[in-house]
Structures are given as structure tokens and as C-alpha cells.
Short mmCIF file of all heavy atoms in Angstrom, two decimals:
data_model
loop_
_atom_site.label_atom_id
_atom_site.label_comp_id
_atom_site.label_asym_id
_atom_site.label_seq_id
_atom_site.Cartn_x
_atom_site.Cartn_y
_atom_site.Cartn_z
N PRO A 4 -6.99 -21.92 14.08
CA PRO A 4 -6.00 -22.84 14.67
C PRO A 4 -6.29 -23.18 16.12
O PRO A 4 -6.01 -24.29 16.56
CB PRO A 4 -4.68 -22.08 14.51
CG PRO A 4 -5.05 -20.67 14.33
CD PRO A 4 -6.37 -20.65 13.67
N THR A 5 -6.83 -22.21 16.87
CA THR A 5 -7.14 -22.49 18.28
C THR A 5 -8.22 -23.55 18.41
O THR A 5 -8.11 -24.49 19.21
CB THR A 5 -7.59 -21.21 19.00
OG1 THR A 5 -6.57 -20.23 18.92
CG2 THR A 5 -7.90 -21.48 20.47
N SER A 6 -9.29 -23.41 17.62
CA SER A 6 -10.37 -24.41 17.68
C SER A 6 -9.88 -25.77 17.19
O SER A 6 -10.28 -26.80 17.74
CB SER A 6 -11.58 -23.93 16.87
OG SER A 6 -11.22 -23.69 15.51
N PHE A 7 -9.03 -25.77 16.18
CA PHE A 7 -8.49 -27.04 15.68
C PHE A 7 -7.66 -27.73 16.78
O PHE A 7 -7.78 -28.96 16.98
CB PHE A 7 -7.62 -26.79 14.45
CG PHE A 7 -7.10 -28.04 13.81
CD1 PHE A 7 -7.86 -28.75 12.90
CD2 PHE A 7 -5.83 -28.52 14.12
CE1 PHE A 7 -7.38 -29.90 12.30
CE2 PHE A 7 -5.34 -29.68 13.55
CZ PHE A 7 -6.12 -30.37 12.64
N PHE A 8 -6.85 -26.97 17.47
CA PHE A 8 -6.00 -27.52 18.53
C PHE A 8 -6.84 -28.04 19.70
O PHE A 8 -6.63 -29.17 20.19
CB PHE A 8 -5.00 -26.48 19.00
CG PHE A 8 -4.17 -26.90 20.17
CD1 PHE A 8 -3.11 -27.80 20.00
CD2 PHE A 8 -4.44 -26.44 21.46
CE1 PHE A 8 -2.35 -28.21 21.10
CE2 PHE A 8 -3.70 -26.85 22.53
CZ PHE A 8 -2.64 -27.75 22.36
N ILE A 9 -7.80 -27.23 20.16
CA ILE A 9 -8.58 -27.60 21.32
C ILE A 9 -9.47 -28.80 21.03
O ILE A 9 -9.56 -29.74 21.85
CB ILE A 9 -9.41 -26.42 21.81
CG1 ILE A 9 -8.46 -25.35 22.39
CG2 ILE A 9 -10.42 -26.83 22.87
CD1 ILE A 9 -9.14 -24.11 22.89
N LYS A 10 -10.10 -28.82 19.87
CA LYS A 10 -10.96 -29.98 19.55
C LYS A 10 -10.12 -31.25 19.43
O LYS A 10 -10.54 -32.34 19.84
CB LYS A 10 -11.80 -29.72 18.29
CG LYS A 10 -11.05 -29.68 16.98
CD LYS A 10 -10.94 -31.01 16.30
CE LYS A 10 -10.17 -30.89 14.98
NZ LYS A 10 -9.89 -32.23 14.36
N GLY A 11 -8.91 -31.13 18.90
CA GLY A 11 -8.03 -32.28 18.80
C GLY A 11 -7.62 -32.82 20.16
O GLY A 11 -7.61 -34.04 20.38
N CYS A 12 -7.32 -31.91 21.09
CA CYS A 12 -6.95 -32.32 22.45
C CYS A 12 -8.12 -33.00 23.15
O CYS A 12 -7.96 -34.05 23.78
CB CYS A 12 -6.49 -31.10 23.24
SG CYS A 12 -4.90 -30.40 22.70
N LEU A 13 -9.30 -32.42 23.01
CA LEU A 13 -10.48 -33.01 23.65
C LEU A 13 -10.83 -34.35 23.07
O LEU A 13 -11.19 -35.30 23.80
CB LEU A 13 -11.67 -32.05 23.53
CG LEU A 13 -11.61 -30.77 24.37
CD1 LEU A 13 -12.77 -29.84 24.02
CD2 LEU A 13 -11.60 -31.10 25.86
N GLN A 14 -10.70 -34.49 21.76
CA GLN A 14 -11.01 -35.77 21.10
C GLN A 14 -10.07 -36.85 21.60
O GLN A 14 -10.50 -38.00 21.82
CB GLN A 14 -10.94 -35.62 19.59
CG GLN A 14 -12.10 -34.85 18.99
CD GLN A 14 -11.98 -34.68 17.49
OE1 GLN A 14 -10.90 -34.79 16.94
NE2 GLN A 14 -13.09 -34.39 16.82
N PHE A 15 -8.81 -36.49 21.78
CA PHE A 15 -7.85 -37.51 22.27
C PHE A 15 -8.06 -37.81 23.75
O PHE A 15 -8.02 -38.98 24.17
CB PHE A 15 -6.42 -37.02 22.04
CG PHE A 15 -5.37 -37.96 22.57
CD1 PHE A 15 -5.07 -39.12 21.89
CD2 PHE A 15 -4.71 -37.71 23.76
CE1 PHE A 15 -4.12 -40.00 22.36
CE2 PHE A 15 -3.76 -38.57 24.25
CZ PHE A 15 -3.47 -39.74 23.54
N LEU A 16 -8.29 -36.79 24.54
CA LEU A 16 -8.48 -37.01 25.98
C LEU A 16 -9.74 -37.83 26.27
O LEU A 16 -9.72 -38.74 27.12
CB LEU A 16 -8.59 -35.66 26.70
CG LEU A 16 -7.30 -34.83 26.78
CD1 LEU A 16 -7.58 -33.45 27.36
CD2 LEU A 16 -6.27 -35.57 27.66
N LEU A 17 -10.83 -37.55 25.56
CA LEU A 17 -12.09 -38.24 25.84
C LEU A 17 -12.21 -39.56 25.08
O LEU A 17 -12.85 -40.49 25.56
CB LEU A 17 -13.27 -37.32 25.50
CG LEU A 17 -13.31 -36.01 26.30
CD1 LEU A 17 -14.41 -35.11 25.82
CD2 LEU A 17 -13.49 -36.32 27.79
N GLY A 18 -11.64 -39.64 23.89
CA GLY A 18 -11.57 -40.89 23.16
C GLY A 18 -12.89 -41.56 22.87
O GLY A 18 -13.01 -42.79 22.95
N ARG A 19 -13.89 -40.77 22.51
CA ARG A 19 -15.17 -41.39 22.21
C ARG A 19 -15.15 -42.02 20.81
O ARG A 19 -14.82 -41.34 19.83
CB ARG A 19 -16.31 -40.36 22.27
CG ARG A 19 -17.65 -41.07 22.10
CD ARG A 19 -18.81 -40.13 22.07
NE ARG A 19 -20.05 -40.87 22.15
CZ ARG A 19 -21.24 -40.33 22.03
NH1 ARG A 19 -21.39 -39.03 21.82
NH2 ARG A 19 -22.33 -41.08 22.14
N VAL A 20 -15.51 -43.26 20.73
CA VAL A 20 -15.50 -43.98 19.46
C VAL A 20 -16.62 -43.43 18.57
O VAL A 20 -17.75 -43.22 19.03
CB VAL A 20 -15.70 -45.49 19.66
CG1 VAL A 20 -15.77 -46.23 18.33
CG2 VAL A 20 -14.57 -46.04 20.53
N THR A 21 -16.32 -43.19 17.32
CA THR A 21 -17.31 -42.69 16.35
C THR A 21 -18.32 -43.77 16.01
O THR A 21 -18.11 -44.95 16.29
CB THR A 21 -16.61 -42.21 15.07
OG1 THR A 21 -15.81 -43.29 14.55
CG2 THR A 21 -15.70 -41.03 15.36
N PRO A 22 -19.46 -43.38 15.41
CA PRO A 22 -20.47 -44.40 15.08
C PRO A 22 -19.96 -45.54 14.21
O PRO A 22 -20.37 -46.69 14.37
CB PRO A 22 -21.55 -43.59 14.35
CG PRO A 22 -21.41 -42.20 14.90
CD PRO A 22 -19.94 -42.03 15.11
N ARG A 23 -19.06 -45.21 13.28
CA ARG A 23 -18.54 -46.25 12.40
C ARG A 23 -17.17 -45.82 11.90
O ARG A 23 -16.78 -44.65 11.99
CB ARG A 23 -19.46 -46.49 11.22
CG ARG A 23 -19.65 -45.27 10.32
CD ARG A 23 -20.71 -45.55 9.26
NE ARG A 23 -20.93 -44.41 8.40
CZ ARG A 23 -20.21 -44.11 7.33
NH1 ARG A 23 -19.19 -44.86 7.01
NH2 ARG A 23 -20.48 -43.05 6.58
N TYR A 24 -16.42 -46.77 11.36
CA TYR A 24 -15.12 -46.49 10.79
C TYR A 24 -15.27 -46.07 9.35
O TYR A 24 -16.24 -46.44 8.66
CB TYR A 24 -14.18 -47.70 10.89
CG TYR A 24 -13.70 -47.99 12.28
CD1 TYR A 24 -13.59 -49.29 12.75
CD2 TYR A 24 -13.32 -46.94 13.14
CE1 TYR A 24 -13.13 -49.57 14.03
CE2 TYR A 24 -12.87 -47.20 14.41
CZ TYR A 24 -12.77 -48.51 14.86
OH TYR A 24 -12.33 -48.78 16.12
N HIS A 25 -14.27 -45.34 8.86
CA HIS A 25 -14.26 -44.96 7.46
C HIS A 25 -14.24 -46.20 6.56
O HIS A 25 -13.50 -47.14 6.76
CB HIS A 25 -13.01 -44.11 7.18
CG HIS A 25 -12.81 -43.75 5.74
ND1 HIS A 25 -13.76 -43.04 5.02
CD2 HIS A 25 -11.83 -44.02 4.87
CE1 HIS A 25 -13.34 -42.89 3.79
NE2 HIS A 25 -12.17 -43.49 3.67
N GLY A 26 -15.11 -46.16 5.54
CA GLY A 26 -15.16 -47.28 4.60
C GLY A 26 -16.06 -48.42 5.02
O GLY A 26 -16.17 -49.41 4.30
N SER A 27 -16.71 -48.29 6.15
CA SER A 27 -17.61 -49.34 6.63
C SER A 27 -18.96 -48.73 7.02
O SER A 27 -19.01 -47.68 7.62
CB SER A 27 -17.01 -50.07 7.83
OG SER A 27 -17.94 -50.95 8.40
N SER A 28 -20.03 -49.41 6.67
CA SER A 28 -21.36 -48.95 7.04
C SER A 28 -21.86 -49.58 8.32
O SER A 28 -22.95 -49.29 8.80
CB SER A 28 -22.35 -49.23 5.91
OG SER A 28 -22.43 -50.64 5.67
N VAL A 29 -21.05 -50.50 8.90
CA VAL A 29 -21.46 -51.22 10.10
C VAL A 29 -21.28 -50.31 11.32
O VAL A 29 -20.20 -49.75 11.53
CB VAL A 29 -20.63 -52.49 10.29
CG1 VAL A 29 -21.03 -53.21 11.58
CG2 VAL A 29 -20.81 -53.42 9.08
N LEU A 30 -22.32 -50.16 12.11
CA LEU A 30 -22.23 -49.35 13.31
C LEU A 30 -21.44 -50.12 14.36
O LEU A 30 -21.74 -51.26 14.68
CB LEU A 30 -23.64 -49.05 13.83
CG LEU A 30 -24.49 -48.16 12.91
CD1 LEU A 30 -25.92 -48.05 13.43
CD2 LEU A 30 -23.87 -46.77 12.80
N LEU A 31 -20.42 -49.47 14.88
CA LEU A 31 -19.49 -50.15 15.81
C LEU A 31 -20.18 -50.60 17.09
O LEU A 31 -19.88 -51.66 17.61
CB LEU A 31 -18.33 -49.22 16.11
CG LEU A 31 -17.45 -48.86 14.91
CD1 LEU A 31 -16.38 -47.85 15.30
CD2 LEU A 31 -16.82 -50.10 14.32
N PHE A 32 -21.08 -49.78 17.60
CA PHE A 32 -21.71 -50.12 18.87
C PHE A 32 -22.73 -51.28 18.70
O PHE A 32 -23.11 -51.91 19.67
CB PHE A 32 -22.38 -48.92 19.50
CG PHE A 32 -23.52 -48.35 18.71
CD1 PHE A 32 -24.82 -48.85 18.84
CD2 PHE A 32 -23.32 -47.27 17.84
CE1 PHE A 32 -25.87 -48.31 18.13
CE2 PHE A 32 -24.37 -46.74 17.12
CZ PHE A 32 -25.65 -47.26 17.27
N VAL A 33 -23.15 -51.52 17.44
CA VAL A 33 -24.03 -52.66 17.18
C VAL A 33 -23.18 -53.93 17.12
O VAL A 33 -23.56 -54.98 17.67
CB VAL A 33 -24.79 -52.47 15.86
CG1 VAL A 33 -25.55 -53.74 15.47
CG2 VAL A 33 -25.76 -51.30 15.99
N ARG A 34 -22.04 -53.84 16.48
CA ARG A 34 -21.17 -55.00 16.38
C ARG A 34 -20.53 -55.35 17.73
O ARG A 34 -20.36 -56.53 18.07
CB ARG A 34 -20.06 -54.72 15.35
CG ARG A 34 -19.15 -55.91 15.07
CD ARG A 34 -18.17 -55.60 13.97
NE ARG A 34 -17.28 -54.49 14.30
CZ ARG A 34 -16.40 -53.96 13.46
NH1 ARG A 34 -16.33 -54.44 12.21
NH2 ARG A 34 -15.63 -52.97 13.83
N ASN A 35 -20.16 -54.32 18.48
CA ASN A 35 -19.54 -54.52 19.77
C ASN A 35 -20.04 -53.43 20.74
O ASN A 35 -19.50 -52.33 20.73
CB ASN A 35 -18.04 -54.48 19.67
CG ASN A 35 -17.33 -54.79 21.00
OD1 ASN A 35 -17.99 -54.98 22.02
ND2 ASN A 35 -16.02 -54.84 20.98
N PRO A 36 -21.04 -53.72 21.55
CA PRO A 36 -21.60 -52.70 22.44
C PRO A 36 -20.59 -52.07 23.38
O PRO A 36 -20.80 -50.92 23.83
CB PRO A 36 -22.66 -53.48 23.23
CG PRO A 36 -23.03 -54.62 22.34
CD PRO A 36 -21.76 -55.00 21.62
N GLN A 37 -19.51 -52.76 23.68
CA GLN A 37 -18.51 -52.21 24.60
C GLN A 37 -17.75 -51.04 24.00
O GLN A 37 -17.11 -50.27 24.73
CB GLN A 37 -17.52 -53.31 25.02
CG GLN A 37 -18.14 -54.39 25.87
CD GLN A 37 -17.12 -55.42 26.32
OE1 GLN A 37 -16.01 -55.49 25.80
NE2 GLN A 37 -17.51 -56.26 27.28
N LEU A 38 -17.81 -50.89 22.67
CA LEU A 38 -17.12 -49.77 22.03
C LEU A 38 -17.85 -48.45 22.23
O LEU A 38 -17.26 -47.38 22.05
CB LEU A 38 -16.95 -50.04 20.53
CG LEU A 38 -15.98 -51.15 20.14
CD1 LEU A 38 -16.02 -51.36 18.62
CD2 LEU A 38 -14.57 -50.79 20.60
N TYR A 39 -19.13 -48.53 22.57
CA TYR A 39 -19.89 -47.29 22.73
C TYR A 39 -19.46 -46.56 24.00
O TYR A 39 -19.31 -47.15 25.06
CB TYR A 39 -21.40 -47.59 22.83
CG TYR A 39 -22.23 -46.34 22.90
CD1 TYR A 39 -22.45 -45.57 21.77
CD2 TYR A 39 -22.79 -45.91 24.11
CE1 TYR A 39 -23.22 -44.42 21.83
CE2 TYR A 39 -23.56 -44.76 24.16
CZ TYR A 39 -23.76 -44.02 23.04
OH TYR A 39 -24.51 -42.87 23.10
N GLY A 40 -19.22 -45.28 23.85
CA GLY A 40 -18.87 -44.47 25.02
C GLY A 40 -17.48 -43.87 24.88
O GLY A 40 -16.93 -43.72 23.78
N PHE A 41 -16.91 -43.53 26.03
CA PHE A 41 -15.64 -42.83 26.08
C PHE A 41 -14.53 -43.78 26.51
O PHE A 41 -14.66 -44.49 27.50
CB PHE A 41 -15.72 -41.66 27.06
CG PHE A 41 -16.72 -40.61 26.63
CD1 PHE A 41 -18.03 -40.67 27.05
CD2 PHE A 41 -16.33 -39.56 25.81
CE1 PHE A 41 -18.96 -39.72 26.65
CE2 PHE A 41 -17.25 -38.60 25.40
CZ PHE A 41 -18.55 -38.68 25.83
N HIS A 42 -13.45 -43.79 25.74
CA HIS A 42 -12.28 -44.60 26.01
C HIS A 42 -11.09 -43.64 26.03
O HIS A 42 -10.51 -43.35 24.99
CB HIS A 42 -12.13 -45.71 24.96
CG HIS A 42 -13.36 -46.56 24.84
ND1 HIS A 42 -13.55 -47.70 25.57
CD2 HIS A 42 -14.46 -46.43 24.05
CE1 HIS A 42 -14.73 -48.23 25.26
NE2 HIS A 42 -15.29 -47.47 24.33
N PHE A 43 -10.76 -43.18 27.20
CA PHE A 43 -9.88 -42.03 27.35
C PHE A 43 -8.48 -42.28 26.78
O PHE A 43 -7.98 -43.40 26.79
CB PHE A 43 -9.80 -41.65 28.82
CG PHE A 43 -11.15 -41.33 29.42
CD1 PHE A 43 -11.78 -42.23 30.27
CD2 PHE A 43 -11.83 -40.16 29.07
CE1 PHE A 43 -13.03 -41.96 30.79
CE2 PHE A 43 -13.07 -39.88 29.59
CZ PHE A 43 -13.69 -40.78 30.44
N LEU A 44 -7.89 -41.16 26.35
CA LEU A 44 -6.53 -41.13 25.82
C LEU A 44 -6.36 -42.00 24.58
O LEU A 44 -5.41 -42.79 24.45
CB LEU A 44 -5.51 -41.54 26.89
CG LEU A 44 -5.46 -40.67 28.14
CD1 LEU A 44 -4.42 -41.16 29.12
CD2 LEU A 44 -5.21 -39.20 27.78
N GLN A 45 -7.29 -41.82 23.65
CA GLN A 45 -7.14 -42.40 22.32
C GLN A 45 -7.95 -41.52 21.35
O GLN A 45 -8.77 -40.72 21.77
CB GLN A 45 -7.64 -43.84 22.28
CG GLN A 45 -9.14 -43.99 22.48
CD GLN A 45 -9.57 -45.44 22.35
OE1 GLN A 45 -8.87 -46.35 22.77
NE2 GLN A 45 -10.73 -45.66 21.76
N THR A 46 -7.68 -41.68 20.08
CA THR A 46 -8.34 -40.85 19.08
C THR A 46 -9.84 -41.09 19.12
O THR A 46 -10.30 -42.22 19.15
CB THR A 46 -7.81 -41.18 17.69
OG1 THR A 46 -6.40 -40.94 17.64
CG2 THR A 46 -8.47 -40.29 16.63
N GLY A 47 -10.61 -39.98 19.15
CA GLY A 47 -12.07 -40.10 19.21
C GLY A 47 -12.76 -39.03 18.39
O GLY A 47 -12.12 -38.31 17.64
#
């Protein structure tokens, strides 16, 4: 539970967009380069 909680907090704080969304094979950073990287305070 500790690792689950801490990883969840870090993922939200750092907000790094994943390579692609569920159900899509399109790489997000290819479709929109601005999505690559950290977008703080959102699910990542």
C-alpha cells in the first residue's frame, strides 16, 4: 500500500503523459509533440 500511494502521488504531481492512450496505437508525442514531457498536477 505504501508503494501504491507514493507512486500515485508522484504520477499526479509530475503528470508525465504516457506514450499512448488505452485503446490507441498512435504515439501521443508523434501526434502532438507538446504532449511529451511533464505536465504537473495531472494524471501521468
Side-chain angles (χ1 to χ4, degrees):
T5 301
S6 58
F7 184 85
F8 174 76
I9 291 179
K10 69 90 181 174
C12 290
L13 289 174
Q14 287 178 340
F15 178 76
L16 289 173
L17 298 175
R19 187 184 190 186
V20 177
T21 55
R23 61 186 179 84
Y24 287 140
H25 174 60
S27 172
S28 61
V29 178
L30 295 173
L31 296 176
F32 64 86
V33 172
R34 185 175 62 184
N35 184 357
Q37 293 183 346
L38 290 176
Y39 184 75
F41 297 91
H42 305 271
F43 303 105
L44 299 181
Q45 68 176 37
T46 302

